[in-house]
Amino acid sequence: MENRSSLSTLFLLALICASSVAAATDQFTKALNASCHKDDLKALLDFKSTITISSGRLKAWTGKQCCSWPTIRCNNKTGRVISLEIIDPYDAGDSIGYESATGSISPSLGMLSSLESLALSSLVGLSGEIPASIGKISTLKRLFLDGNNLTGPIPAAIGALSRLTQLYLEGNKLSQAIPFELGSLKNLRELRLESNQLTGSIPSSFGDLRRLEKLDISSNRLTGSIPGSIVSISTLKELQLAHNKIAGPVPSDLGKLSLLEVLDLSDNQLTGSLPSSLGNCKSLRNLWLSENELSGTIPVSWGSSSLVNLSVIDLSLNQLTGEVPSSLGSLRSLADFNIAHNKLAGSFPDLSKTQLATLDLSYNQFHLHTVPGWLSKLRANYFRLSLASCGIEELPSFLSQLNLGVLDLSMNTIKVRQLPTLSSSFSGLYHLNLSFNPLAVPLSSDISKYSVLTRLDLRSTRLSGSVSPIFSSNSSFLEFVDLSDNQLGGQIPPPPSRTQDSWSYLNLSKNKLTGSIPKEIANLKVIKTLDLSHNQLQGGIPASVGNLTSLESLDLSSNKLTGGVPESLLKLPSLRFLNLSSNSLSGKIPQGPKIRSFPAAAFTDNPGLCGTPLPPCKKVF
C-alpha cells in the first residue's frame, strides 16, 4: 500500500509539473504572438528610424509582434519589452562578425516603461547625446552605452533610476562635469565612466553609493581632489581614477575600505605622503600610485601580514625618499614591484620569500655595487629585472639562472670581459638594455642566439668588432636595435629577408662603419627609424630606400656618400624627418611636395648638390 501511495504522489507531482510547464510555455507563446504595447512599438520603431546597424538585424523589426524581434526580450506575463540589447557580436561571443552603427539614440526609448536592460555597446559609429528621457525608465537595472561615439553631458536625469545596478558609459566622448545626481543611485554596483572627456571634480555624493563595488573614472580630464566621502563606500572593491589631473592628498583613511582589491590612482597630480592605513586593506591585490608627486617614505605598515593577496605595487615616477622597509619581504604574494624614478636610497631588503617576477629599482639613489644576491633564490618562469642607474659595477654569475625575459642594467659602470653568456635560461630574453656602460668588449656572435630578442639597446658601451651578429637569420624577432655611439667597424651586411616583418628601429650612428649601404636595406619593410649617420659610408644612396614605405625618420648625414638624391624618396608617404647633410652628394635635388617639406639643413654641406631648398642649380650653356 505504501508503494502504491508513493507512486500516486509522484504521478500527481509529475502532472502538476507538466501542467505548469505547459502553462508557462503557453504564456510565452502568447507573449511572442501578441501585439506590442503601443508605447513599446512606437519607441522601438522611432529607435529603428534613427539608427542603422551594419549587420542588418533591425530589418526584421516589422509588424506589431515586437517580442519576436531579434535583440528584444519581453516579460512572459505582461508582454512588455524588458530588454533591448545590441552589442558588438565579438564582445558577446557571436559569430555574426564585426558590428557597427550610424545614427543616434532616439529619445522615444524613454517610453519603454518596463525596460530592465538597455545595451547599445561597442557600435563605434553610434553618435549624438544620451537622451535625458532614459531617466524616465524607472524599471531600468542595467544601462550599457559603452564603446560608442556619444558626446555631450551625462544626463542628470539618470540619477532618478533608483533600481540601476550597472552603468557603463566608458569609451565615448562624453564631456562636462559628472552629475551630482548620480550619487542617488542607491542600488548601483558598477559605475564605469572611463575613457571620456569628463571635466570638473569627483562628486562628493558618490560617498552615498553604499552598494558600489566598482568605480572607474580613469582617462578623463578630472581635476579637484579625491573626496573624503569615498571611504564611506565600504563595499568598494575597485577604485580606478588614473590618467586625470586630480590633485591633493590620497585620503589618509583609505584603509577603511577593507574589501578593496584594486586601487589605481596613477598619472595624476597627487601630493603628500603614502597613507599607512592601506596596510589594513586585507583584500588588496593591485596598487598603482605611479606618476604623481607623492613624497615621504614607504610605510612600514605596508609589509603587514594581513596583505596576503597584494601582488602588484607600482610607486614609480614620484618623489619618494628614505629606505625601502624590510617589512615588504613579508608580502608573500608580491609579484610586481616598481619604484623606479624616485629618490630612494640605502640598502634594499630581501624579497626572496615573495613571488617576485618583476623588479624595477631604476633611477633612484641606490649604490648596489652588484645585483642583489637574494634574487638567485627566486624561481619565476619569466623574470623582468630593471636596475638602471643603481650603481651596479659587476655582474654576478647567478644572473643566467633567473629565466630572464627583460634585463635593463643601463646607466651603470659595468665592465665585463664579454656580453652576458648565453644559457638555456637566457633563451627567453626579449629585452636587453646595457646602454651607457663602459663594457669595452666586441659585439659577440652569441647575440644572434637570443632567438626571441625583440629589443636590443647597447648604445654608448664602447663596443668594437662587426655589426654582423645582429643581421643573422636568427634575428627575425628584433624590432628595436640601437648600437649607436660605439667603435663598431666593417661593412653593413645585407639584412636577411626574414627581418621584413619585425624591425622598426635601427640606429648604427656614430660608429666606424665603412663600405656602401646595401640595396637589401629594402628588406626592412616596416622600419620607421633608420639612422646610419656619423660613419664612413661610401657609394650612393640605394634607390631601394624608396620601398621603405613605413619610414618616418631617415638620417644618413656625416658620411662620405656620393651620387644624387634618389627620386624614390618622393615615394615615402610617412617620412617626417630627413637628414642627408655633410656628405659628397651632387646633382639636382628631386622636386616634389615631400622634398619641399624639409629644410635646407637636411641637404647642406654637399658641395655638388643644388635645387630647392638649396640655391638653384647653375645653368650649363
Side-chain angles (χ1 to χ4, degrees), residues 405-441:
V406 173
L407 179 60
D408 184 352
L409 299 175
S410 59
M411 299 292 292
N412 284 292
T413 55
I414 300 170
K415 295 180 180 179
V416 295
R417 295 182 179 178
Q418 60 183 21
L419 292 179
T421 305
L422 181 73
S423 70
S424 58
S425 299
F426 268 41
S427 61
L429 192 67
Y430 62 88
H431 180 140
L432 177 61
N433 187 352
L434 300 177
S435 62
F436 300 100
N437 277 287
L439 301 179
V441 293

PDB file of all heavy atoms in Angstrom, residues 405-441:
ATOM      1  N   GLY A 405      63.448  37.516 -18.915  1.00  0.00           N
ATOM      2  CA  GLY A 405      62.764  37.983 -20.106  1.00  0.00           C
ATOM      3  C   GLY A 405      63.181  39.408 -20.414  1.00  0.00           C
ATOM      4  O   GLY A 405      63.328  39.790 -21.569  1.00  0.00           O
ATOM      5  N   VAL A 406      63.379  40.218 -19.372  1.00  0.00           N
ATOM      6  CA  VAL A 406      63.833  41.608 -19.503  1.00  0.00           C
ATOM      7  C   VAL A 406      65.038  41.812 -18.602  1.00  0.00           C
ATOM      8  O   VAL A 406      65.021  41.434 -17.426  1.00  0.00           O
ATOM      9  CB  VAL A 406      62.716  42.603 -19.102  1.00  0.00           C
ATOM     10  CG1 VAL A 406      63.259  44.029 -19.076  1.00  0.00           C
ATOM     11  CG2 VAL A 406      61.531  42.504 -20.044  1.00  0.00           C
ATOM     12  N   LEU A 407      66.097  42.404 -19.158  1.00  0.00           N
ATOM     13  CA  LEU A 407      67.274  42.764 -18.367  1.00  0.00           C
ATOM     14  C   LEU A 407      67.692  44.171 -18.755  1.00  0.00           C
ATOM     15  O   LEU A 407      68.134  44.417 -19.876  1.00  0.00           O
ATOM     16  CB  LEU A 407      68.427  41.788 -18.615  1.00  0.00           C
ATOM     17  CG  LEU A 407      69.732  42.095 -17.856  1.00  0.00           C
ATOM     18  CD1 LEU A 407      69.494  42.070 -16.353  1.00  0.00           C
ATOM     19  CD2 LEU A 407      70.831  41.112 -18.247  1.00  0.00           C
ATOM     20  N   ASP A 408      67.526  45.113 -17.839  1.00  0.00           N
ATOM     21  CA  ASP A 408      67.914  46.503 -18.064  1.00  0.00           C
ATOM     22  C   ASP A 408      68.898  46.911 -16.966  1.00  0.00           C
ATOM     23  O   ASP A 408      68.529  47.117 -15.812  1.00  0.00           O
ATOM     24  CB  ASP A 408      66.688  47.411 -18.039  1.00  0.00           C
ATOM     25  CG  ASP A 408      67.040  48.867 -18.381  1.00  0.00           C
ATOM     26  OD1 ASP A 408      68.236  49.186 -18.491  1.00  0.00           O
ATOM     27  OD2 ASP A 408      66.104  49.678 -18.539  1.00  0.00           O
ATOM     28  N   LEU A 409      70.174  47.001 -17.357  1.00  0.00           N
ATOM     29  CA  LEU A 409      71.234  47.427 -16.444  1.00  0.00           C
ATOM     30  C   LEU A 409      71.913  48.680 -16.990  1.00  0.00           C
ATOM     31  O   LEU A 409      73.094  48.923 -16.737  1.00  0.00           O
ATOM     32  CB  LEU A 409      72.260  46.305 -16.263  1.00  0.00           C
ATOM     33  CG  LEU A 409      71.730  44.991 -15.677  1.00  0.00           C
ATOM     34  CD1 LEU A 409      72.830  43.929 -15.656  1.00  0.00           C
ATOM     35  CD2 LEU A 409      71.192  45.204 -14.278  1.00  0.00           C
ATOM     36  N   SER A 410      71.190  49.483 -17.726  1.00  0.00           N
ATOM     37  CA  SER A 410      71.754  50.679 -18.345  1.00  0.00           C
ATOM     38  C   SER A 410      72.151  51.721 -17.308  1.00  0.00           C
ATOM     39  O   SER A 410      71.733  51.672 -16.142  1.00  0.00           O
ATOM     40  CB  SER A 410      70.741  51.291 -19.311  1.00  0.00           C
ATOM     41  OG  SER A 410      69.532  51.624 -18.635  1.00  0.00           O
ATOM     42  N   MET A 411      72.989  52.661 -17.743  1.00  0.00           N
ATOM     43  CA  MET A 411      73.417  53.789 -16.906  1.00  0.00           C
ATOM     44  C   MET A 411      74.102  53.345 -15.618  1.00  0.00           C
ATOM     45  O   MET A 411      73.859  53.862 -14.534  1.00  0.00           O
ATOM     46  CB  MET A 411      72.213  54.683 -16.578  1.00  0.00           C
ATOM     47  CG  MET A 411      71.533  55.306 -17.775  1.00  0.00           C
ATOM     48  SD  MET A 411      72.535  56.541 -18.619  1.00  0.00           S
ATOM     49  CE  MET A 411      72.584  57.852 -17.395  1.00  0.00           C
ATOM     50  N   ASN A 412      74.963  52.329 -15.724  1.00  0.00           N
ATOM     51  CA  ASN A 412      75.768  51.888 -14.593  1.00  0.00           C
ATOM     52  C   ASN A 412      77.244  51.992 -14.975  1.00  0.00           C
ATOM     53  O   ASN A 412      77.588  52.678 -15.953  1.00  0.00           O
ATOM     54  CB  ASN A 412      75.383  50.464 -14.194  1.00  0.00           C
ATOM     55  CG  ASN A 412      74.069  50.420 -13.421  1.00  0.00           C
ATOM     56  OD1 ASN A 412      73.989  50.896 -12.296  1.00  0.00           O
ATOM     57  ND2 ASN A 412      73.027  49.841 -14.031  1.00  0.00           N
ATOM     58  N   THR A 413      78.123  51.351 -14.250  1.00  0.00           N
ATOM     59  CA  THR A 413      79.562  51.383 -14.561  1.00  0.00           C
ATOM     60  C   THR A 413      80.087  49.961 -14.705  1.00  0.00           C
ATOM     61  O   THR A 413      81.146  49.609 -14.179  1.00  0.00           O
ATOM     62  CB  THR A 413      80.341  52.137 -13.465  1.00  0.00           C
ATOM     63  OG1 THR A 413      80.066  51.537 -12.197  1.00  0.00           O
ATOM     64  CG2 THR A 413      79.941  53.604 -13.421  1.00  0.00           C
ATOM     65  N   ILE A 414      79.322  49.144 -15.425  1.00  0.00           N
ATOM     66  CA  ILE A 414      79.661  47.725 -15.583  1.00  0.00           C
ATOM     67  C   ILE A 414      80.792  47.556 -16.595  1.00  0.00           C
ATOM     68  O   ILE A 414      80.746  48.095 -17.694  1.00  0.00           O
ATOM     69  CB  ILE A 414      78.428  46.924 -16.042  1.00  0.00           C
ATOM     70  CG1 ILE A 414      77.299  47.061 -15.005  1.00  0.00           C
ATOM     71  CG2 ILE A 414      78.779  45.455 -16.254  1.00  0.00           C
ATOM     72  CD1 ILE A 414      75.980  46.517 -15.472  1.00  0.00           C
ATOM     73  N   LYS A 415      81.791  46.788 -16.187  1.00  0.00           N
ATOM     74  CA  LYS A 415      82.868  46.390 -17.093  1.00  0.00           C
ATOM     75  C   LYS A 415      82.883  44.860 -17.121  1.00  0.00           C
ATOM     76  O   LYS A 415      82.950  44.211 -16.077  1.00  0.00           O
ATOM     77  CB  LYS A 415      84.219  46.915 -16.621  1.00  0.00           C
ATOM     78  CG  LYS A 415      84.331  48.436 -16.641  1.00  0.00           C
ATOM     79  CD  LYS A 415      85.705  48.888 -16.165  1.00  0.00           C
ATOM     80  CE  LYS A 415      85.812  50.407 -16.186  1.00  0.00           C
ATOM     81  NZ  LYS A 415      87.148  50.867 -15.706  1.00  0.00           N
ATOM     82  N   VAL A 416      82.771  44.296 -18.306  1.00  0.00           N
ATOM     83  CA  VAL A 416      82.743  42.831 -18.424  1.00  0.00           C
ATOM     84  C   VAL A 416      83.732  42.380 -19.491  1.00  0.00           C
ATOM     85  O   VAL A 416      84.133  43.142 -20.364  1.00  0.00           O
ATOM     86  CB  VAL A 416      81.325  42.324 -18.796  1.00  0.00           C
ATOM     87  CG1 VAL A 416      80.336  42.610 -17.697  1.00  0.00           C
ATOM     88  CG2 VAL A 416      80.852  42.942 -20.108  1.00  0.00           C
ATOM     89  N   ARG A 417      84.131  41.117 -19.419  1.00  0.00           N
ATOM     90  CA  ARG A 417      85.015  40.555 -20.438  1.00  0.00           C
ATOM     91  C   ARG A 417      84.240  40.200 -21.692  1.00  0.00           C
ATOM     92  O   ARG A 417      84.789  40.141 -22.785  1.00  0.00           O
ATOM     93  CB  ARG A 417      85.729  39.326 -19.892  1.00  0.00           C
ATOM     94  CG  ARG A 417      86.686  39.650 -18.747  1.00  0.00           C
ATOM     95  CD  ARG A 417      87.409  38.405 -18.274  1.00  0.00           C
ATOM     96  NE  ARG A 417      88.347  38.710 -17.207  1.00  0.00           N
ATOM     97  CZ  ARG A 417      89.096  37.798 -16.585  1.00  0.00           C
ATOM     98  NH1 ARG A 417      89.007  36.519 -16.947  1.00  0.00           N
ATOM     99  NH2 ARG A 417      89.922  38.158 -15.619  1.00  0.00           N
ATOM    100  N   GLN A 418      82.969  39.891 -21.542  1.00  0.00           N
ATOM    101  CA  GLN A 418      82.112  39.599 -22.683  1.00  0.00           C
ATOM    102  C   GLN A 418      80.674  39.892 -22.284  1.00  0.00           C
ATOM    103  O   GLN A 418      80.359  40.033 -21.105  1.00  0.00           O
ATOM    104  CB  GLN A 418      82.240  38.141 -23.114  1.00  0.00           C
ATOM    105  CG  GLN A 418      81.856  37.143 -22.020  1.00  0.00           C
ATOM    106  CD  GLN A 418      82.060  35.717 -22.463  1.00  0.00           C
ATOM    107  OE1 GLN A 418      82.809  35.446 -23.384  1.00  0.00           O
ATOM    108  NE2 GLN A 418      81.392  34.797 -21.799  1.00  0.00           N
ATOM    109  N   LEU A 419      79.812  40.002 -23.283  1.00  0.00           N
ATOM    110  CA  LEU A 419      78.408  40.203 -23.000  1.00  0.00           C
ATOM    111  C   LEU A 419      77.866  38.982 -22.262  1.00  0.00           C
ATOM    112  O   LEU A 419      78.462  37.909 -22.330  1.00  0.00           O
ATOM    113  CB  LEU A 419      77.638  40.428 -24.305  1.00  0.00           C
ATOM    114  CG  LEU A 419      77.939  41.741 -25.030  1.00  0.00           C
ATOM    115  CD1 LEU A 419      77.138  41.822 -26.310  1.00  0.00           C
ATOM    116  CD2 LEU A 419      77.637  42.931 -24.150  1.00  0.00           C
ATOM    117  N   PRO A 420      76.722  39.121 -21.536  1.00  0.00           N
ATOM    118  CA  PRO A 420      76.191  38.000 -20.767  1.00  0.00           C
ATOM    119  C   PRO A 420      76.164  36.704 -21.569  1.00  0.00           C
ATOM    120  O   PRO A 420      75.638  36.648 -22.673  1.00  0.00           O
ATOM    121  CB  PRO A 420      74.762  38.471 -20.430  1.00  0.00           C
ATOM    122  CG  PRO A 420      74.881  39.950 -20.362  1.00  0.00           C
ATOM    123  CD  PRO A 420      75.885  40.318 -21.421  1.00  0.00           C
ATOM    124  N   THR A 421      76.784  35.666 -21.000  1.00  0.00           N
ATOM    125  CA  THR A 421      76.934  34.401 -21.699  1.00  0.00           C
ATOM    126  C   THR A 421      75.586  33.750 -21.932  1.00  0.00           C
ATOM    127  O   THR A 421      74.726  33.728 -21.060  1.00  0.00           O
ATOM    128  CB  THR A 421      77.809  33.446 -20.870  1.00  0.00           C
ATOM    129  OG1 THR A 421      79.039  34.108 -20.584  1.00  0.00           O
ATOM    130  CG2 THR A 421      78.077  32.162 -21.632  1.00  0.00           C
ATOM    131  N   LEU A 422      75.404  33.207 -23.117  1.00  0.00           N
ATOM    132  CA  LEU A 422      74.164  32.542 -23.454  1.00  0.00           C
ATOM    133  C   LEU A 422      74.005  31.289 -22.622  1.00  0.00           C
ATOM    134  O   LEU A 422      74.937  30.528 -22.425  1.00  0.00           O
ATOM    135  CB  LEU A 422      74.153  32.168 -24.945  1.00  0.00           C
ATOM    136  CG  LEU A 422      72.872  31.485 -25.427  1.00  0.00           C
ATOM    137  CD1 LEU A 422      71.740  32.489 -25.503  1.00  0.00           C
ATOM    138  CD2 LEU A 422      73.083  30.816 -26.769  1.00  0.00           C
ATOM    139  N   SER A 423      72.804  31.087 -22.096  1.00  0.00           N
ATOM    140  CA  SER A 423      72.488  29.852 -21.391  1.00  0.00           C
ATOM    141  C   SER A 423      71.068  29.479 -21.752  1.00  0.00           C
ATOM    142  O   SER A 423      70.357  30.232 -22.402  1.00  0.00           O
ATOM    143  CB  SER A 423      72.603  30.044 -19.881  1.00  0.00           C
ATOM    144  OG  SER A 423      71.556  30.885 -19.417  1.00  0.00           O
ATOM    145  N   SER A 424      70.638  28.318 -21.327  1.00  0.00           N
ATOM    146  CA  SER A 424      69.268  27.905 -21.622  1.00  0.00           C
ATOM    147  C   SER A 424      68.267  28.874 -21.002  1.00  0.00           C
ATOM    148  O   SER A 424      67.187  29.089 -21.525  1.00  0.00           O
ATOM    149  CB  SER A 424      69.027  26.487 -21.100  1.00  0.00           C
ATOM    150  OG  SER A 424      69.275  26.420 -19.700  1.00  0.00           O
ATOM    151  N   SER A 425      68.638  29.485 -19.851  1.00  0.00           N
ATOM    152  CA  SER A 425      67.751  30.445 -19.201  1.00  0.00           C
ATOM    153  C   SER A 425      67.630  31.720 -20.022  1.00  0.00           C
ATOM    154  O   SER A 425      66.565  32.318 -20.103  1.00  0.00           O
ATOM    155  CB  SER A 425      68.273  30.783 -17.801  1.00  0.00           C
ATOM    156  OG  SER A 425      68.327  29.633 -16.991  1.00  0.00           O
ATOM    157  N   PHE A 426      68.716  32.167 -20.633  1.00  0.00           N
ATOM    158  CA  PHE A 426      68.715  33.388 -21.414  1.00  0.00           C
ATOM    159  C   PHE A 426      67.999  33.226 -22.749  1.00  0.00           C
ATOM    160  O   PHE A 426      67.790  34.203 -23.463  1.00  0.00           O
ATOM    161  CB  PHE A 426      70.158  33.863 -21.658  1.00  0.00           C
ATOM    162  CG  PHE A 426      70.649  34.824 -20.612  1.00  0.00           C
ATOM    163  CD1 PHE A 426      70.360  34.613 -19.283  1.00  0.00           C
ATOM    164  CD2 PHE A 426      71.382  35.938 -20.975  1.00  0.00           C
ATOM    165  CE1 PHE A 426      70.810  35.493 -18.316  1.00  0.00           C
ATOM    166  CE2 PHE A 426      71.835  36.832 -20.008  1.00  0.00           C
ATOM    167  CZ  PHE A 426      71.550  36.600 -18.677  1.00  0.00           C
ATOM    168  N   SER A 427      67.613  32.032 -23.093  1.00  0.00           N
ATOM    169  CA  SER A 427      66.975  31.810 -24.383  1.00  0.00           C
ATOM    170  C   SER A 427      65.614  32.497 -24.471  1.00  0.00           C
ATOM    171  O   SER A 427      65.074  32.661 -25.554  1.00  0.00           O
ATOM    172  CB  SER A 427      66.809  30.311 -24.646  1.00  0.00           C
ATOM    173  OG  SER A 427      65.990  29.712 -23.654  1.00  0.00           O
ATOM    174  N   GLY A 428      65.048  32.907 -23.306  1.00  0.00           N
ATOM    175  CA  GLY A 428      63.772  33.611 -23.308  1.00  0.00           C
ATOM    176  C   GLY A 428      63.910  35.114 -23.228  1.00  0.00           C
ATOM    177  O   GLY A 428      62.905  35.832 -23.123  1.00  0.00           O
ATOM    178  N   LEU A 429      65.136  35.627 -23.301  1.00  0.00           N
ATOM    179  CA  LEU A 429      65.383  37.065 -23.180  1.00  0.00           C
ATOM    180  C   LEU A 429      64.827  37.803 -24.398  1.00  0.00           C
ATOM    181  O   LEU A 429      65.199  37.517 -25.532  1.00  0.00           O
ATOM    182  CB  LEU A 429      66.883  37.321 -23.066  1.00  0.00           C
ATOM    183  CG  LEU A 429      67.318  38.722 -22.664  1.00  0.00           C
ATOM    184  CD1 LEU A 429      66.905  39.034 -21.236  1.00  0.00           C
ATOM    185  CD2 LEU A 429      68.828  38.875 -22.820  1.00  0.00           C
ATOM    186  N   TYR A 430      63.906  38.741 -24.159  1.00  0.00           N
ATOM    187  CA  TYR A 430      63.342  39.509 -25.274  1.00  0.00           C
ATOM    188  C   TYR A 430      63.651  41.006 -25.177  1.00  0.00           C
ATOM    189  O   TYR A 430      63.373  41.751 -26.108  1.00  0.00           O
ATOM    190  CB  TYR A 430      61.829  39.287 -25.385  1.00  0.00           C
ATOM    191  CG  TYR A 430      61.012  39.722 -24.193  1.00  0.00           C
ATOM    192  CD1 TYR A 430      60.531  41.031 -24.096  1.00  0.00           C
ATOM    193  CD2 TYR A 430      60.680  38.837 -23.172  1.00  0.00           C
ATOM    194  CE1 TYR A 430      59.775  41.435 -23.022  1.00  0.00           C
ATOM    195  CE2 TYR A 430      59.915  39.230 -22.089  1.00  0.00           C
ATOM    196  CZ  TYR A 430      59.461  40.523 -22.014  1.00  0.00           C
ATOM    197  OH  TYR A 430      58.708  40.931 -20.935  1.00  0.00           O
ATOM    198  N   HIS A 431      64.230  41.459 -24.073  1.00  0.00           N
ATOM    199  CA  HIS A 431      64.573  42.878 -23.919  1.00  0.00           C
ATOM    200  C   HIS A 431      65.905  42.960 -23.183  1.00  0.00           C
ATOM    201  O   HIS A 431      65.991  42.578 -22.011  1.00  0.00           O
ATOM    202  CB  HIS A 431      63.472  43.586 -23.129  1.00  0.00           C
ATOM    203  CG  HIS A 431      63.707  45.058 -22.910  1.00  0.00           C
ATOM    204  ND1 HIS A 431      62.700  45.995 -22.988  1.00  0.00           N
ATOM    205  CD2 HIS A 431      64.823  45.765 -22.617  1.00  0.00           C
ATOM    206  CE1 HIS A 431      63.189  47.190 -22.736  1.00  0.00           C
ATOM    207  NE2 HIS A 431      64.485  47.072 -22.509  1.00  0.00           N
ATOM    208  N   LEU A 432      66.937  43.471 -23.870  1.00  0.00           N
ATOM    209  CA  LEU A 432      68.260  43.609 -23.271  1.00  0.00           C
ATOM    210  C   LEU A 432      68.738  45.041 -23.446  1.00  0.00           C
ATOM    211  O   LEU A 432      68.878  45.535 -24.562  1.00  0.00           O
ATOM    212  CB  LEU A 432      69.250  42.647 -23.927  1.00  0.00           C
ATOM    213  CG  LEU A 432      70.715  42.734 -23.442  1.00  0.00           C
ATOM    214  CD1 LEU A 432      70.801  42.419 -21.953  1.00  0.00           C
ATOM    215  CD2 LEU A 432      71.612  41.799 -24.244  1.00  0.00           C
ATOM    216  N   ASN A 433      68.996  45.710 -22.315  1.00  0.00           N
ATOM    217  CA  ASN A 433      69.470  47.088 -22.341  1.00  0.00           C
ATOM    218  C   ASN A 433      70.673  47.218 -21.406  1.00  0.00           C
ATOM    219  O   ASN A 433      70.537  47.181 -20.186  1.00  0.00           O
ATOM    220  CB  ASN A 433      68.368  48.058 -21.909  1.00  0.00           C
ATOM    221  CG  ASN A 433      68.762  49.520 -22.082  1.00  0.00           C
ATOM    222  OD1 ASN A 433      69.915  49.830 -22.384  1.00  0.00           O
ATOM    223  ND2 ASN A 433      67.820  50.421 -21.894  1.00  0.00           N
ATOM    224  N   LEU A 434      71.858  47.334 -22.013  1.00  0.00           N
ATOM    225  CA  LEU A 434      73.096  47.555 -21.259  1.00  0.00           C
ATOM    226  C   LEU A 434      73.722  48.890 -21.646  1.00  0.00           C
ATOM    227  O   LEU A 434      74.910  49.109 -21.432  1.00  0.00           O
ATOM    228  CB  LEU A 434      74.084  46.411 -21.524  1.00  0.00           C
ATOM    229  CG  LEU A 434      73.621  44.999 -21.156  1.00  0.00           C
ATOM    230  CD1 LEU A 434      74.686  43.969 -21.558  1.00  0.00           C
ATOM    231  CD2 LEU A 434      73.321  44.890 -19.676  1.00  0.00           C
ATOM    232  N   SER A 435      72.941  49.784 -22.202  1.00  0.00           N
ATOM    233  CA  SER A 435      73.460  51.048 -22.726  1.00  0.00           C
ATOM    234  C   SER A 435      74.110  51.893 -21.640  1.00  0.00           C
ATOM    235  O   SER A 435      73.800  51.770 -20.452  1.00  0.00           O
ATOM    236  CB  SER A 435      72.333  51.836 -23.401  1.00  0.00           C
ATOM    237  OG  SER A 435      71.320  52.168 -22.476  1.00  0.00           O
ATOM    238  N   PHE A 436      75.026  52.758 -22.077  1.00  0.00           N
ATOM    239  CA  PHE A 436      75.732  53.689 -21.190  1.00  0.00           C
ATOM    240  C   PHE A 436      76.451  52.963 -20.058  1.00  0.00           C
ATOM    241  O   PHE A 436      76.320  53.309 -18.872  1.00  0.00           O
ATOM    242  CB  PHE A 436      74.771  54.752 -20.647  1.00  0.00           C
ATOM    243  CG  PHE A 436      74.132  55.579 -21.722  1.00  0.00           C
ATOM    244  CD1 PHE A 436      72.837  55.320 -22.149  1.00  0.00           C
ATOM    245  CD2 PHE A 436      74.838  56.600 -22.340  1.00  0.00           C
ATOM    246  CE1 PHE A 436      72.254  56.063 -23.156  1.00  0.00           C
ATOM    247  CE2 PHE A 436      74.268  57.361 -23.354  1.00  0.00           C
ATOM    248  CZ  PHE A 436      72.965  57.091 -23.765  1.00  0.00           C
ATOM    249  N   ASN A 437      77.179  51.924 -20.438  1.00  0.00           N
ATOM    250  CA  ASN A 437      78.105  51.224 -19.543  1.00  0.00           C
ATOM    251  C   ASN A 437      79.447  51.116 -20.272  1.00  0.00           C
ATOM    252  O   ASN A 437      79.467  50.959 -21.493  1.00  0.00           O
ATOM    253  CB  ASN A 437      77.602  49.816 -19.218  1.00  0.00           C
ATOM    254  CG  ASN A 437      76.580  49.788 -18.103  1.00  0.00           C
ATOM    255  OD1 ASN A 437      76.907  49.975 -16.936  1.00  0.00           O
ATOM    256  ND2 ASN A 437      75.320  49.555 -18.477  1.00  0.00           N
ATOM    257  N   PRO A 438      80.558  51.182 -19.574  1.00  0.00           N
ATOM    258  CA  PRO A 438      81.866  51.059 -20.235  1.00  0.00           C
ATOM    259  C   PRO A 438      82.246  49.587 -20.474  1.00  0.00           C
ATOM    260  O   PRO A 438      83.268  49.115 -19.988  1.00  0.00           O
ATOM    261  CB  PRO A 438      82.810  51.741 -19.238  1.00  0.00           C
ATOM    262  CG  PRO A 438      82.187  51.476 -17.905  1.00  0.00           C
ATOM    263  CD  PRO A 438      80.709  51.498 -18.131  1.00  0.00           C
ATOM    264  N   LEU A 439      81.421  48.869 -21.221  1.00  0.00           N
ATOM    265  CA  LEU A 439      81.655  47.433 -21.419  1.00  0.00           C
ATOM    266  C   LEU A 439      82.994  47.163 -22.098  1.00  0.00           C
ATOM    267  O   LEU A 439      83.743  46.278 -21.698  1.00  0.00           O
ATOM    268  CB  LEU A 439      80.520  46.821 -22.242  1.00  0.00           C
ATOM    269  CG  LEU A 439      79.106  46.932 -21.663  1.00  0.00           C
ATOM    270  CD1 LEU A 439      78.097  46.304 -22.620  1.00  0.00           C
ATOM    271  CD2 LEU A 439      79.024  46.268 -20.301  1.00  0.00           C
ATOM    272  N   ALA A 440      83.254  47.917 -23.179  1.00  0.00           N
ATOM    273  CA  ALA A 440      84.529  47.807 -23.908  1.00  0.00           C
ATOM    274  C   ALA A 440      84.828  46.364 -24.324  1.00  0.00           C
ATOM    275  O   ALA A 440      85.901  45.827 -24.037  1.00  0.00           O
ATOM    276  CB  ALA A 440      85.667  48.381 -23.058  1.00  0.00           C
ATOM    277  N   VAL A 441      83.849  45.726 -24.986  1.00  0.00           N
ATOM    278  CA  VAL A 441      84.023  44.356 -25.479  1.00  0.00           C
ATOM    279  C   VAL A 441      83.551  44.284 -26.925  1.00  0.00           C
ATOM    280  O   VAL A 441      82.807  45.140 -27.396  1.00  0.00           O
ATOM    281  CB  VAL A 441      83.213  43.355 -24.624  1.00  0.00           C
ATOM    282  CG1 VAL A 441      83.763  43.273 -23.215  1.00  0.00           C
ATOM    283  CG2 VAL A 441      81.732  43.715 -24.611  1.00  0.00           C
TER     284      VAL A 441
END
